[in-house]
Amino acid sequence: MQLRRLPAAAALLLPLCAQDTATLRIEVTASAAPVAEAAVRVNGMRLKTGPDGTVAVAVPLGRVDVEVSKPGFLTAVTSLKIDEAREWRLAIEIQPHEPRREQITVSATRTDRLVQELPTRVEVLGREEIEEKMLMTPGDIVMLLNEMGGMRVQTTSPGLGAASIRIQGMPGRYTRFLSDGLPLFGQQGAGLGVLQIPPMDLAQVEVIKGVSSALYGAGAMAGIVNLISRRPGREPSLEVLANRSSRGATDVPVFAAVPLSSRWSATLLAGGHWQQRYDADGDGWADLARYGRGLLRPRLFWDGGDGRTASLAGGLISENREGGTLPGAVLPATGEPYLEALRTRRWDFGGQAQTLAGRRILVTVRWAASRQSHRHRFGETRERDRHDLLFGELTARGAAGKHTWVAGIAAEREAYHPRDLPWFAYRYTTPGGFLQDDIDLTRWLSISASGRADFHSRYGTFLSPRLSALLRAKGWTSRLSAGQGFLAPGPLTEQTEAAGLSRLSIPAPLVAERGRSLSFDLTRELGPAVLTAALFASRIRRPIEVRAGERYEIVNLAAPTDNAGLELLATWRKAPVAATAGYTYVRSRKYNGAGRADVSLTPRHSFGLTALWESEKAGRMGVECYYTGR
């Protein structure tokens, strides 16, 4: 007997006139609500649900195949066996279709969750974007960071080209740099540190903007930059890049990765980098300092299975850098030549290991040690110093129901030894403990609450809370974050790094800086386009300022420094074109005695546009355009 489509009322009468058929009533729902006009296929017959989300049909006894589909939802397929001529009911729930997203796991928030699921906003640069910037500046990560929205690489020393990373207008000393979660580059991101990190062994860059002291303690009031290293694949690999620029730069980085056994693997980054002194405007001053740098960074990885992993990393860097006037040139103010030079020697070592305690708790231990020695020359003045850092941390992470929690203890010892100016020496020891809980309350609301207590050996106890929330609804995503942090004062700032400590004085005892930040962002996905708008504000109480004169003075300002701004970001990703446009407005103000004034070296407006067309057969072609205000 051949069946044809019948109205639902007529279908109910079929069991009365045929004993070899049954009535199948299908109920289609989504999020507990009925779905009308859903397409239903029953053994090849095409039907549609009514306003109540149901449809009834007569089917022969035996196996019945059912498929339900509707635009905007995932297709549901099931089957059942009908062995009795009666009315059968089948309930099917269909799920909304979400656009496919790149599955990026973030470790900077300590929970190793997908970036889309994090209540805390994390911006991520993947390997593809890193490679694009590496082809232009393979010697450092300056261009990589400078082209991210809300971030700026600010030159701090015109003689040597030292720079710091400013996040949303905040000074560079408030940004903390990490390598796989370890402070291998020292406590602060200011100075030449970012100029000595090549991007060739990076797999991912994670940036959290805003106060992050609840996660990483002191020195993270502007945010953190976490550099994730590349892991070896199944086959050995070797990459060599040779670069020569029109302004006298030569870079030869080498990266090798090799699996040593089923559990052990290793990578090695080595490089030589050179720059000639370059005078762009012909005034006798080297706009680009001369340097020669060699580096070596091996990494060892172990995977024991069942959640047990370990890694070790070490690094050696040697650099000699010279700037100032060119041979035969003099300073107009003095009529004498001026040479500025810096010799850097640094080693670092760190590692981490994790294992499962029971079935649900992951225990991780991290440690790091670094030493950096400098020999500065400012004209006829010479200064020698040494920076030491020791770090250790023990954390436990687990999940229970809607909760993903992290608890840990940490200790850090930071020491500064200026051999020629010993009265500026300091030694800080800071133990602390922290706790974080990510709670997925509903499908549309998740929150993250964290808090940290640090016990500074000189400046006392500091509490650093942070609260973030993620809301999602109908293609819209928003995040709200608020946090508080601190930074212990010291003589090293952007200004003193350029001028040295010989002309510096501290007229009154310094107190710790304290900061608060608040941010809100809203994201909308429209097919291949993603639009994001973010508002941010921060306030630093008792900020450190360097006052220039015949001698430099470091003081705490009585009035706070305020930052506020807006970020707009638009991306388009649909093969073969990928494009990104971003605009940032920052207003950073401080009290100067006569009222509020803009903080120097903080442009209000910046804009960037990048577009790339790529074909596997033809190659790639791109364009970049950037504007930075005064």
Side-chain angles (χ1 to χ4, degrees), residues 267-353:
T267 64
L268 175 66
L269 174 68
H273 305 271
W274 300 270
Q275 169 70 54
Q276 299 174 354
R277 275 191 289 194
Y278 184 83
D279 181 10
D281 52 8
D283 63 353
W285 180 271
D287 298 295
L288 294 177
R290 178 175 61 191
Y291 64 78
R293 179 172 68 250
L295 65 91
L296 190 69
R297 184 168 293 282
R299 299 182 188 269
L300 186 65
F301 303 93
W302 176 76
D303 187 353
D306 297 328
R308 297 176 300 157
T309 63
S311 64
L312 293 174
L316 294 172
I317 290 182
S318 176
E319 180 185 86
N320 293 331
R321 185 176 287 252
E322 293 182 358
T325 56
L326 298 179
V330 297
L331 287 177
T334 63
E336 299 290 336
Y338 179 84
L339 177 64
E340 189 170 342
L342 176 64
R343 192 194 79 165
T344 301
R345 302 290 185 266
R346 189 178 82 216
W347 63 262
D348 57 69
F349 176 77
Q352 54 186 324

Side-chain angles (χ1 to χ4, degrees), residues 98 101 115-121 439-448 467-481 519-525:
E98 296 183 358
R101 301 177 181 178
V115 66
Q116 297 92 344
E117 301 174 355
L118 292 170
T120 301
R121 184 188 178 195
I439 312 171
D440 298 323
L441 295 175
T442 65
R443 294 182 59 183
W444 55 270
L445 176 62
S446 300
I447 63 173
S448 177
L467 181 66
S468 303
L470 167 64
L471 298 92
R472 290 173 288 198
K474 298 182 179 180
W476 293 89
T477 302
S478 64
R479 288 179 171 88
L480 177 66
S481 294
S519 66
F520 173 77
D521 63 82
L522 187 64
T523 299
R524 174 67 172 174
E525 294 188 10

Side-chain angles (χ1 to χ4, degrees), residues 428 458-459 489-491 506-512 542 544-545 554-556:
Y428 299 153
R458 179 174 297 182
Y459 295 100
I506 303 178
L510 301 176
V511 299
R542 304 304 303 273
I544 294 291
E545 182 178 71
I554 293 184
V555 297
N556 285 106

Side-chain angles (χ1 to χ4, degrees), residues 173 188 416 424 426 428 459 487-493 496 501 504 506 510-511 513 544 546 554:
R173 66 179 181 274
Q188 299 176 3
Y416 176 58
F424 290 116
Y426 62 82
Y428 299 153
Y459 295 100
L487 177 65
L492 302 178
T493 65
T496 57
L501 299 179
L504 178 70
I506 303 178
L510 301 176
V511 299
E513 300 174 87
I544 294 291
V546 179
I554 293 184

